[in-house]
Amino acid sequence: DAMVIQNPRYQVTQFGKPVTLSCSQTLNHNVMYWYQQKSSQAPKLLFHYYDKDFNNEADTPDNFQSRRPNTSFCFLDIRSPGLGDAAMYLCATSRTTGGSNEKLFFGSGTQLSVL
Amino acid sequence: QKEVEQNSGPLSVPEGAIASLNCTYSDRGSQSFFWYRQYSGKSPELIMSIYSNGDKEDGRFTAQLNKASQYVSLLIRDSQPSDSATYLCAVNEQGNTPLVFGKGTRLSVIA
């Protein structure tokens, strides 16, 4: 089945140790998103790619970077994780942005713990 | 600051009752509106979308949109314990900007 796949489901890292989260999609969608979601809070958009065009949210910390080497894959790099970065990280895709085409398809998420 | 507001709850309803979830948004030019359901520890899943004023029904779910008053609501008829989850309202604002999510309303259906 076509889907959005995130690996790993749970990730534990040490304070300051770089970590990479991965996302792949078989939907052939143009747009891929990374959201951060902390307990009882709304998903917070970190950045999104429209094809290869990178769009960074103004308040996304510099500690967070992203790569999209091809249509199917997108990576979230956290260069020096702090305790405040512990959260669920959600990858999502959509065919395009704006209007009815922006139905989001989410992966299962990666729960990041920082020790 | 574009905002989507939801009452965080928890909203508790007895099994079989109608659950009513509300959402308001700040951008009058918003075009598309979505309701996502999120179980604890899981990712959001789309349950309803609505684009025009009025009601849209899908099984036990009805989405209602009133653009003049800038609110969108979700009704769940014959609520079941399995409906207990957080319901996120998401709004597509003007242009090709990504969706804006509300903080969600936690629904608890009591058997």
Side-chain angles (χ1 to χ4, degrees):
Chain A
D1 289 341
M3 57 176 55
V4 182
I5 302 166
Q6 288 188 247
N7 285 304
R9 181 69 179 88
Y10 299 94
Q11 175 74 56
V12 180
T13 191
Q14 292 179 334
F15 184 95
K17 183 175 181 182
V19 65
T20 295
L21 310 181
S22 70
C23 177
S24 64
Q25 57 131 342
T26 59
L27 296 162
N28 203 32
H29 281 173
N30 293 313
V31 193
M32 295 187 77
Y33 309 79
W34 280 105
Y35 286 87
Q36 179 195 63
Q37 188 178 27
K38 297 184 178 181
S39 181
S40 302
Q41 295 187 19
K44 177 182 182 298
L45 182 64
L46 296 174
F47 15 62
H48 74 280
Y49 277 93
Y50 196 120
D51 291 331
K52 294 183 178 181
D53 292 334
F54 177 70
N55 297 271
N56 194 34
E57 294 302 296
D59 57 354
T60 298
D62 292 340
N63 196 28
F64 291 85
Q65 303 287 323
S66 185
R67 297 170 283 134
R68 189 180 184 184
N70 53 51
T71 300
S72 301
F73 286 87
C74 196
F75 299 97
L76 171 63
D77 301 310
I78 308 177
R79 292 191 295 186
S80 181
L83 298 178
D85 297 327
M88 172 78 86
Y89 289 87
L90 297 164
C91 174
T93 72
S94 65
R95 279 203 297 132
T96 184
T97 56
S100 62
N101 290 314
E102 203 181 355
K103 295 178 183 178
L104 295 184
F105 295 78
F106 283 90
S108 57
T110 293
Q111 183 67 50
L112 178 68
S113 299
V114 181
L115 304 180
Chain B
Q1 181 77 18
K2 298 174 181 177
E3 294 182 345
V4 177
E5 300 286 345
Q6 295 182 257
N7 187 325
S8 61
L11 172 66
S12 294
V13 300
E15 184 175 0
I18 296 175
S20 177
L21 306 165
N22 299 311
C23 171
T24 60
Y25 57 94
S26 62
D27 188 345
R28 185 170 289 278
S30 297
Q31 303 291 328
S32 307
F33 307 85
F34 305 89
W35 283 99
Y36 286 82
R37 177 175 63 199
Q38 187 174 25
Y39 293 112
S40 181
K42 303 293 186 182
S43 59
E45 59 177 320
L46 180 67
I47 54 172
M48 288 288 288
S49 58
I50 187 166
Y51 312 109
S52 304
N53 279 329
D55 295 0
K56 179 182 177 182
E57 187 174 319
D58 183 1
R60 295 187 296 112
F61 298 97
T62 299
Q64 299 175 320
L65 175 60
N66 184 323
K67 289 186 178 181
S69 300
Q70 294 176 237
Y71 83 78
V72 57
S73 62
L74 179 69
L75 301 179
I76 306 174
R77 289 182 300 281
D78 188 24
S79 295
Q80 301 297 309
S82 60
D83 295 325
S84 298
T86 296
Y87 290 80
L88 298 164
C89 174
V91 176
N92 171 246
E93 301 181 331
Q94 295 192 61
N96 290 327
T97 54
L99 287 179
V100 179
F101 280 89
K103 290 185 177 182
T105 298
R106 189 157 58 91
L107 173 67
S108 178
V109 180
I110 311 300

